[in-house]
Amino acid sequence: IPKYWKDTPWSFGGTTRKPKSGNIACGYFVTNILSDFGIKIERVFLAQQPSSVMIKKRCSDIKYFTQRKDLENYILKQPKNTVYIVGLDFHTGFITREDKDTYFIHSNYIRNKGVVKENTESSQALNSSKTYMIGTLKY
């Protein structure tokens, strides 16, 4: 489902429910994906909350990190093909691990890029954060 959202433009107030039409904020991107997967959530409410609220409601194995390297080491020790919700200083998205590669899937606010799947090592949004809260998505 996230690939259908690729290139949907970012906007702080973006609330579109239709991929590639309108704009999408990071919180709405995450809650739309969860809802589209059939997970029963308070989509609008959670999209407007700090990511910690969403993570506490929808995830298990919640961890906090202040070092980017510690976040990466943690993910690499977890099973492949696991989906995480990550909360940053002022942003949210998904992290996935595929073999030894990890990806950040989010509605990128930097230069209003919109929805992207990028390697975590090169993600400016992820790497500029000072705090990381991550949880394993519960289906």
Side-chain angles (χ1 to χ4, degrees):
I1 291 175
K3 75 178 181 177
Y4 294 106
W5 286 91
K6 186 176 185 266
D7 299 326
T8 303
W10 173 88
S11 169
F12 181 76
T15 62
T16 188
R17 284 290 287 142
K18 186 175 179 184
K20 298 185 187 344
S21 175
N23 300 303
I24 191 77
C26 60
Y28 277 94
F29 171 68
V30 171
T31 62
N32 282 349
I33 297 298
L34 297 177
S35 179
D36 291 347
F37 270 116
I39 297 172
K40 302 290 186 221
I41 59 167
E42 300 169 73
R43 187 183 63 81
V44 172
F45 172 76
L46 288 177
Q48 297 172 350
Q49 301 305 304
S51 54
S52 61
V53 174
M54 182 174 14
I55 291 168
K56 288 175 184 175
K57 281 196 172 274
R58 296 305 327 161
C59 296
S60 61
D61 303 320
I62 298 169
K63 307 288 183 202
Y64 303 88
F65 300 100
T66 57
Q67 300 295 317
R68 173 68 182 83
K69 184 170 60 171
D70 294 339
L71 172 68
E72 193 75 16
N73 289 337
Y74 170 75
I75 295 167
L76 290 173
K77 290 178 185 172
Q78 304 311 305
K80 291 186 284 186
N81 302 319
T82 302
V83 178
Y84 306 92
I85 298 176
V86 64
L88 309 177
D89 294 342
F90 304 101
H91 193 51
T92 191
F94 297 101
I95 289 183
T96 61
R97 175 176 170 228
E98 302 165 21
D99 294 317
K100 292 186 189 253
D101 295 317
T102 57
Y103 297 94
F104 186 37
I105 305 166
H106 62 117
S107 186
N108 195 349
Y109 61 91
I110 297 172
R111 291 183 295 285
N112 299 338
K113 247 186 208 177
V115 177
V116 295
K117 177 182 178 180
E118 53 191 2
N119 191 290
T120 56
E121 289 181 10
S122 59
S123 172
Q124 188 177 355
L126 184 70
N127 292 312
S128 66
S129 187
K130 303 282 188 255
T131 59
Y132 308 90
M133 179 181 191
I134 189 169
T136 305
L137 182 60
K138 293 188 290 189
Y139 296 95

